[in-house]
Amino acid sequence: MVIANSAPTLTILENGDRLNRVEFERRYTASNIKKAELIEGLVYVASPLRFTPHAEPHGRIIGWLIAYQAMMTGLKVGIEPTIRLDADNEPQPDVVLFIKSGLGGRMSLSKDNYLEGSPELVLEVAASTVSIDLHSKLQAYRRNGVLEYIVWRTGDNALDWFQWVNEQYVRVLPNNEGVIRSQVFPGLWLNVAALLQRDYAAALTTMQQGLKSKEHAAFVRELKRRAKARSKA
């Protein structure tokens, strides 16, 4: 008796594949690819990153967020984490900042150690406006209610900051001092003008001013109150 062989299981993951999240994860896990994302059902495999347009700015902006997160408990910073956003989207953003789930945040950690849900803040470093970060990703993050979304376009020497308002993204502009203040994370201030001029010392100085603000102190107290209440529950 001849037994027909079953069809081979594909393990290849390529740019442009249209997959659901489950199949994307299966192929991604079986591959040797360092970074791939599923955005609106379409696979994007990352190219090697050059130092100047991406790696150095990436490091600088991570330092900015870590400087904020390090001053309090209850917040997490993730660098290029895989996020199970929805059935068609599994991005691997450059940086995320989120509140711990037990303290009112919307992210959780799965049994297999993936992040699930919508982070409060996502930041991406992109080359220009042609990047998926300002198109497909923006729509996916908006639809899933990511509250603040920042795209630093290094090639254009520009920064876009979006806030989620009434299920839409509203672009936030710097104030007269060239600073944008987060509405989700009080005290998280970004001196956009200094950042774009690569004056990182000035950007960190502005951050320190935000950390000394009354609204930041109130936010720290609120997180501590939530943590205390949770420990008693």
Side-chain angles (χ1 to χ4, degrees), residues 25-42:
E25 281 190 13
R26 187 188 70 79
R27 297 193 190 188
Y28 193 4
T29 302
S31 74
N32 294 318
I33 295 171
K34 184 176 180 180
K35 181 175 180 178
E37 300 179 286
L38 184 70
I39 308 297
E40 302 291 57
L42 194 65

mmCIF file of all heavy atoms in Angstrom, residues 25-42:
data_model
loop_
_atom_site.group_PDB
_atom_site.id
_atom_site.type_symbol
_atom_site.label_atom_id
_atom_site.label_comp_id
_atom_site.label_asym_id
_atom_site.label_seq_id
_atom_site.Cartn_x
_atom_site.Cartn_y
_atom_site.Cartn_z
ATOM 1 N N GLU A 25 4.279 33.747 13.588
ATOM 2 C CA GLU A 25 5.106 33.349 14.719
ATOM 3 C C GLU A 25 5.782 32.007 14.477
ATOM 4 O O GLU A 25 6.938 31.805 14.837
ATOM 5 C CB GLU A 25 4.258 33.280 15.994
ATOM 6 C CG GLU A 25 3.983 34.623 16.623
ATOM 7 C CD GLU A 25 3.361 34.495 18.007
ATOM 8 O OE1 GLU A 25 3.374 33.372 18.576
ATOM 9 O OE2 GLU A 25 2.859 35.503 18.509
ATOM 10 N N ARG A 26 5.050 31.074 13.876
ATOM 11 C CA ARG A 26 5.625 29.755 13.618
ATOM 12 C C ARG A 26 6.828 29.852 12.687
ATOM 13 O O ARG A 26 7.891 29.283 12.965
ATOM 14 C CB ARG A 26 4.561 28.831 13.021
ATOM 15 C CG ARG A 26 5.024 27.379 12.875
ATOM 16 C CD ARG A 26 4.015 26.551 12.115
ATOM 17 N NE ARG A 26 3.968 26.915 10.709
ATOM 18 C CZ ARG A 26 4.863 26.517 9.800
ATOM 19 N NH1 ARG A 26 5.888 25.766 10.148
ATOM 20 N NH2 ARG A 26 4.751 26.889 8.534
ATOM 21 N N ARG A 27 6.674 30.601 11.613
ATOM 22 C CA ARG A 27 7.779 30.727 10.661
ATOM 23 C C ARG A 27 8.927 31.559 11.227
ATOM 24 O O ARG A 27 10.107 31.264 10.979
ATOM 25 C CB ARG A 27 7.278 31.337 9.351
ATOM 26 C CG ARG A 27 6.253 30.483 8.615
ATOM 27 C CD ARG A 27 6.050 31.003 7.216
ATOM 28 N NE ARG A 27 4.924 30.368 6.560
ATOM 29 C CZ ARG A 27 4.627 30.536 5.271
ATOM 30 N NH1 ARG A 27 5.380 31.321 4.511
ATOM 31 N NH2 ARG A 27 3.586 29.937 4.736
ATOM 32 N N TYR A 28 8.577 32.607 11.965
ATOM 33 C CA TYR A 28 9.608 33.473 12.554
ATOM 34 C C TYR A 28 10.463 32.667 13.537
ATOM 35 O O TYR A 28 11.698 32.735 13.536
ATOM 36 C CB TYR A 28 8.928 34.645 13.255
ATOM 37 C CG TYR A 28 9.825 35.797 13.652
ATOM 38 C CD1 TYR A 28 11.178 35.835 13.316
ATOM 39 C CD2 TYR A 28 9.310 36.862 14.382
ATOM 40 C CE1 TYR A 28 11.993 36.897 13.687
ATOM 41 C CE2 TYR A 28 10.111 37.938 14.751
ATOM 42 C CZ TYR A 28 11.452 37.945 14.412
ATOM 43 O OH TYR A 28 12.241 39.002 14.777
ATOM 44 N N THR A 29 9.814 31.866 14.375
ATOM 45 C CA THR A 29 10.524 31.055 15.354
ATOM 46 C C THR A 29 11.448 30.044 14.684
ATOM 47 O O THR A 29 12.545 29.754 15.182
ATOM 48 C CB THR A 29 9.520 30.328 16.257
ATOM 49 O OG1 THR A 29 8.677 31.282 16.908
ATOM 50 C CG2 THR A 29 10.232 29.498 17.316
ATOM 51 N N ALA A 30 11.016 29.503 13.539
ATOM 52 C CA ALA A 30 11.806 28.484 12.837
ATOM 53 C C ALA A 30 12.924 29.078 11.989
ATOM 54 O O ALA A 30 13.783 28.351 11.484
ATOM 55 C CB ALA A 30 10.889 27.644 11.950
ATOM 56 N N SER A 31 12.934 30.394 11.832
ATOM 57 C CA SER A 31 13.919 31.035 10.961
ATOM 58 C C SER A 31 15.133 31.523 11.749
ATOM 59 O O SER A 31 15.153 31.478 12.982
ATOM 60 C CB SER A 31 13.284 32.222 10.227
ATOM 61 O OG SER A 31 13.112 33.320 11.121
ATOM 62 N N ASN A 32 16.124 32.013 11.018
ATOM 63 C CA ASN A 32 17.291 32.634 11.642
ATOM 64 C C ASN A 32 17.239 34.160 11.517
ATOM 65 O O ASN A 32 18.252 34.832 11.711
ATOM 66 C CB ASN A 32 18.580 32.114 10.992
ATOM 67 C CG ASN A 32 18.811 30.643 11.264
ATOM 68 O OD1 ASN A 32 18.597 30.185 12.386
ATOM 69 N ND2 ASN A 32 19.228 29.899 10.255
ATOM 70 N N ILE A 33 16.087 34.683 11.179
ATOM 71 C CA ILE A 33 15.925 36.123 10.978
ATOM 72 C C ILE A 33 15.962 36.836 12.325
ATOM 73 O O ILE A 33 15.307 36.420 13.283
ATOM 74 C CB ILE A 33 14.604 36.412 10.242
ATOM 75 C CG1 ILE A 33 14.656 35.824 8.833
ATOM 76 C CG2 ILE A 33 14.332 37.914 10.184
ATOM 77 C CD1 ILE A 33 13.335 35.876 8.103
ATOM 78 N N LYS A 34 16.728 37.926 12.382
ATOM 79 C CA LYS A 34 16.885 38.657 13.642
ATOM 80 C C LYS A 34 15.665 39.515 13.957
ATOM 81 O O LYS A 34 15.239 39.592 15.111
ATOM 82 C CB LYS A 34 18.135 39.547 13.584
ATOM 83 C CG LYS A 34 18.436 40.263 14.894
ATOM 84 C CD LYS A 34 19.729 41.040 14.818
ATOM 85 C CE LYS A 34 20.021 41.748 16.139
ATOM 86 N NZ LYS A 34 21.294 42.510 16.080
ATOM 87 N N LYS A 35 15.114 40.176 12.953
ATOM 88 C CA LYS A 35 13.961 41.040 13.215
ATOM 89 C C LYS A 35 12.992 41.004 12.049
ATOM 90 O O LYS A 35 13.370 41.258 10.909
ATOM 91 C CB LYS A 35 14.392 42.497 13.475
ATOM 92 C CG LYS A 35 13.205 43.420 13.770
ATOM 93 C CD LYS A 35 13.636 44.824 14.148
ATOM 94 C CE LYS A 35 12.425 45.713 14.427
ATOM 95 N NZ LYS A 35 12.805 47.076 14.845
ATOM 96 N N ALA A 36 11.755 40.662 12.360
ATOM 97 C CA ALA A 36 10.669 40.691 11.374
ATOM 98 C C ALA A 36 9.405 41.132 12.093
ATOM 99 O O ALA A 36 9.237 40.888 13.291
ATOM 100 C CB ALA A 36 10.474 39.327 10.731
ATOM 101 N N GLU A 37 8.526 41.790 11.358
ATOM 102 C CA GLU A 37 7.278 42.279 11.937
ATOM 103 C C GLU A 37 6.107 41.892 11.048
ATOM 104 O O GLU A 37 6.242 41.788 9.824
ATOM 105 C CB GLU A 37 7.318 43.804 12.089
ATOM 106 C CG GLU A 37 8.436 44.303 12.984
ATOM 107 C CD GLU A 37 8.459 45.820 13.100
ATOM 108 O OE1 GLU A 37 8.879 46.465 12.129
ATOM 109 O OE2 GLU A 37 8.044 46.342 14.136
ATOM 110 N N LEU A 38 4.960 41.712 11.674
ATOM 111 C CA LEU A 38 3.712 41.506 10.948
ATOM 112 C C LEU A 38 2.863 42.754 11.147
ATOM 113 O O LEU A 38 2.442 43.057 12.269
ATOM 114 C CB LEU A 38 2.972 40.270 11.473
ATOM 115 C CG LEU A 38 1.689 39.914 10.718
ATOM 116 C CD1 LEU A 38 2.009 39.402 9.316
ATOM 117 C CD2 LEU A 38 0.871 38.883 11.484
ATOM 118 N N ILE A 39 2.646 43.484 10.063
ATOM 119 C CA ILE A 39 1.898 44.740 10.126
ATOM 120 C C ILE A 39 0.734 44.661 9.150
ATOM 121 O O ILE A 39 0.941 44.544 7.945
ATOM 122 C CB ILE A 39 2.782 45.955 9.789
ATOM 123 C CG1 ILE A 39 4.053 45.953 10.654
ATOM 124 C CG2 ILE A 39 2.006 47.258 9.954
ATOM 125 C CD1 ILE A 39 3.805 46.080 12.147
ATOM 126 N N GLU A 40 -0.469 44.700 9.686
ATOM 127 C CA GLU A 40 -1.687 44.609 8.879
ATOM 128 C C GLU A 40 -1.664 43.363 7.983
ATOM 129 O O GLU A 40 -2.053 43.390 6.831
ATOM 130 C CB GLU A 40 -1.875 45.869 8.030
ATOM 131 C CG GLU A 40 -1.941 47.168 8.815
ATOM 132 C CD GLU A 40 -3.199 47.306 9.668
ATOM 133 O OE1 GLU A 40 -3.446 46.440 10.514
ATOM 134 O OE2 GLU A 40 -3.946 48.280 9.478
ATOM 135 N N GLY A 41 -1.169 42.246 8.547
ATOM 136 C CA GLY A 41 -1.161 40.985 7.830
ATOM 137 C C GLY A 41 -0.019 40.811 6.847
ATOM 138 O O GLY A 41 0.059 39.784 6.176
ATOM 139 N N LEU A 42 0.883 41.792 6.760
ATOM 140 C CA LEU A 42 1.982 41.749 5.803
ATOM 141 C C LEU A 42 3.312 41.649 6.551
ATOM 142 O O LEU A 42 3.524 42.351 7.534
ATOM 143 C CB LEU A 42 1.965 43.002 4.931
ATOM 144 C CG LEU A 42 2.824 43.007 3.659
ATOM 145 C CD1 LEU A 42 2.319 41.964 2.672
ATOM 146 C CD2 LEU A 42 2.779 44.391 3.005
#
